Amino acid sequence: MPDHVPTEFREQEVTVDPEEPFTVARSEDGRWYTVTGLCPTCRAATVFRVAYGVLGPPKRLWRRNRSEPEPLTGSIPVYCACGYPHPERPPESPDSGCGAFWDVPVPPPAHGAAS
């Protein structure tokens, strides 16, 4: 399979095959989720990171354990961040991909896991 399928930039919501392998990793402090997988449109490897919960330093600096948000449930809206050039991408566009966006379900925390 090629690393990338050259496609024109087009902002579009795409449906992802439920069998498509996406990895959703939660940071140790529970404040970030990182989604990795292949863009369903241009097929390039993409990594998407999203903040979740309370960011910044804890309110009480003398506490040992930082406040950790509850695990995210539902899905994460992801957009292609492949970094490849795509024809027709506007120069002012903040996107670095082909314009595709989709939802990735958040897996439930593993039984007995700290997150």
Side-chain angles (χ1 to χ4, degrees):
M1 178 189 304
D3 292 333
H4 178 254
V5 177
T7 58
E8 281 194 5
F9 177 86
R10 188 170 134 216
E11 289 183 355
Q12 63 179 333
E13 184 171 9
V14 294
T15 303
V16 177
D17 181 345
E19 302 298 315
E20 191 74 32
F22 284 97
T23 302
V24 179
R26 185 177 186 216
S27 65
E28 285 187 31
D29 64 4
R31 297 165 192 252
W32 294 94
Y33 283 82
T34 303
V35 180
T36 56
L38 297 180
C39 171
T41 300
C42 72
R43 305 307 297 163
T46 188
V47 176
F48 184 81
R49 188 173 182 208
V50 62
Y52 174 72
V54 181
L55 295 176
K59 301 269 187 226
R60 297 181 182 153
L61 297 176
W62 61 86
R63 284 181 58 191
R64 276 192 127 176
N65 296 332
R66 296 180 84 166
S67 177
E68 182 177 317
E70 288 294 317
L72 182 63
T73 58
S75 61
I76 297 174
V78 175
Y79 63 86
C80 179
C82 70
Y84 284 96
H86 287 274
E88 304 300 321
R89 181 169 51 214
E92 67 277 2
S93 173
D95 293 335
S96 64
C98 68
F101 56 95
W102 60 95
D103 289 332
V104 173
V106 177
H111 183 65
S115 64

